[in-house]
Amino acid sequence: MKIGTIHVIICGTILTAVFFAASCREEPRRYTRPLMGTIVNVTVAASDSDTALRAAEAAFSEIARLEEIMSPYRKGSDVWRVNRDAAALPVEVSADTFRVLMASAAMASESGGAFDVTFMPLGRIWNYESEPFTPPGPAAVARAKVLVNYKNLVLNPQNRSVRFLRPGMGIGLGAIAKGYAIGRAMAAIRALGIDDCIVEIGGDLQVSGTKQGRPWITGLRHPRHGGLLLSIAMEPGESVVTSGDYERFAIHRGKRYGHIIDPRTGYPTESFESVTVVSGDPMFADGAATAIFVLGPDEYRRFVDRHGDIGVILIDLKGNVMISKSLREKIVLFEKIPVRWI
Ligand code: AMP
Ligand code: MG
């Protein structure tokens, strides 16, 4: 479960409140629901509580619908059917799942396979839920690793079908589906004519509009001690997504094994404590945060340079903080820490 970001409510002074009186109308209301294995928060500024509730419900049902079709555990879901049948025959999936798979294929190729939704055979042997957790042996890792390769996932846009080129393959959309769901839930709210809102799934979020005329402010927690590290003033439409090694992990003989796997080695990635991506597209931000996490401090640079429009906040394993220069004006640091502006 992700606790990377929290909202910080910044109250304007009385003077500015008066000055902004024309745009300072609706106090945002916040609604919460457990979905997608985590907590979903929807914040809506609407003229009355009925409208706000209706908007939040629209967002929740959209997220629930997407969970229904993309969860690998739900019998009959798109992903469940793909994992059962796609080695034998092409499996047709919904437009939403196909869109996420196309975006995943692009992210896999751009990251040289660091991001790869066919990681599932490795995901199965690195089972963090097993008690006690024991890491798989090298032979099991080698056997699973050869089944992981996005190039062996054939996507046919003609009939939106999915096919595995090797038996034993499997997909999981955990690194990108939340970002997609955030974007769709946001669209569902905006379709009701509401401009000022936030959709947050497990700490990842997108904002729309403003908070009573001023930017929405998001806080980023420190990945180790959980205190507030910094805040970001969000532009309308921006999203912020974090991948971290603290979200889900297991410990064996004092060693921490994280939930993000490097498909190129077959082992959990040890690269950053956390990677945060700020971007206009929540699905892209979600995929990119995971990709950068796997690429690690030695390789991430090329990916980030290629996407000049994203901002990143990176914390390496020694606790060093690196932040994109493009975010400088939007960030307030709450801890006296040296930052390398990149
Ligand atoms: P995120 O929190 O968005 O970084 O997603 C992490 C989740 O993505 C994990 O819990 C796995 O379900 C899945 N995953 C792990 N490694 C990878 C990878 N290399 N590429 C794509 N998905 C992955
Ligand atoms: Mg991700």
Side-chain angles (χ1 to χ4, degrees):
M1 187 186 298
K2 203 169 279 191
I3 50 154
T5 49
I6 56 164
H7 298 306
V8 187
I9 306 300
I10 304 266
C11 302
T13 62
I14 292 171
L15 195 67
T16 48
V18 172
F19 182 75
F20 283 105
S23 54
C24 274
R25 306 122 330 201
E26 301 99 12
E27 189 63 31
R29 295 175 174 86
R30 194 163 190 233
Y31 304 87
T32 299
R33 183 129 344 143
L35 285 168
M36 285 193 146
T38 182
I39 303 295
V40 177
N41 289 303
V42 174
T43 306
V44 187
S47 50
D48 58 88
S49 60
D50 282 356
T51 312
L53 181 62
R54 203 158 4 102
E57 285 299 342
F60 291 140
S61 33
E62 182 64 356
I63 294 165
R65 183 181 73 79
L66 295 171
E67 180 179 12
E68 198 74 42
I69 59 178
M70 292 187 205
S71 162
Y73 312 110
R74 292 195 185 213
K75 208 172 168 201
S77 79
D78 282 350
V79 171
W80 185 88
R81 287 186 302 109
V82 166
N83 286 340
R84 190 190 58 179
D85 298 333
L89 61 145
V91 176
E92 284 181 34
V93 297
S94 65
D96 291 293
T97 304
F98 201 79
R99 235 175 267 144
V100 173
L101 285 168
M102 290 294 283
S104 299
M107 188 57 77
S109 125
E110 274 191 52
S111 64
F115 176 99
D116 190 339
V117 293
T118 72
F119 82 98
M120 209 48 162
L122 287 165
R124 287 191 191 114
I125 59 165
W126 290 99
N127 181 3
Y128 302 98
E129 260 90 73
S130 63
E131 272 292 341
F133 167 78
T134 336
V141 171
R143 271 196 307 275
K145 194 161 80 90
V146 296
L147 297 171
V148 177
N149 189 343
Y150 65 96
K151 292 179 183 153
N152 293 334
L153 181 73
V154 181
L155 304 175
N156 182 352
Q158 242 90 57
N159 57 354
R160 292 197 316 244
S161 72
V162 183
R163 178 88 207 253
F164 293 153
L165 291 185
R166 274 174 170 242
M169 287 177 67
I171 58 165
L173 303 180
I176 191 163
K178 273 191 234 136
Y180 181 72
I182 289 171
R184 299 312 302 172
M186 179 60 87
I189 298 177
R190 290 181 57 91
L192 297 173
I194 288 168
D195 284 333
D196 301 334
C197 54
I198 305 176
V199 175
E200 181 208 321
I201 307 185
D204 299 333
L205 60 89
Q206 183 175 25
V207 306
S208 172
T210 60
K211 180 180 189 283
Q212 296 169 305
R214 315 176 116 239
W216 292 106
I217 308 283
T218 276
L220 189 69
R221 283 189 187 281
H222 192 284
R224 286 291 179 262
H225 58 65
L228 188 62
L229 181 64
L230 53 83
S231 71
I232 313 167
M234 307 285 291
E235 280 174 32
E238 260 181 350
S239 38
V240 50
V241 175
T242 297
S243 280
D245 67 357
Y246 54 90
E247 296 158 343
R248 275 176 53 214
F249 60 88
I251 291 180
H252 178 73
R253 295 197 176 137
K255 187 172 160 51
R256 174 200 279 256
Y257 295 88
H259 66 134
I260 301 176
I261 296 164
D262 188 339
R264 303 165 304 175
T265 64
Y267 285 80
T269 307
E270 294 175 69
S271 59
F272 291 110
E273 287 180 2
S274 81
V275 171
T276 300
V277 173
V278 181
S279 154
D281 177 349
M283 172 163 64
F284 183 82
D286 193 357
T290 310
I292 292 168
F293 194 93
V294 177
L295 288 169
D298 300 331
E299 291 181 273
Y300 81 89
R301 195 70 226 207
R302 211 150 52 101
F303 182 93
V304 171
D305 287 347
R306 202 157 354 119
H307 297 283
D309 53 340
I310 65 170
V312 295
I313 300 163
L314 310 172
I315 305 179
D316 72 15
L317 292 175
K318 293 193 188 112
N320 299 313
V321 180
M322 292 149 285
I323 308 179
S324 301
K325 286 188 186 124
S326 61
L327 295 176
R328 205 170 202 152
E329 303 301 315
K330 301 178 186 173
I331 282 188
V332 175
L333 289 166
F334 283 82
E335 271 188 36
K336 281 205 164 41
I337 36 154
V339 170
R340 192 151 69 81
W341 297 93
I342 54 177

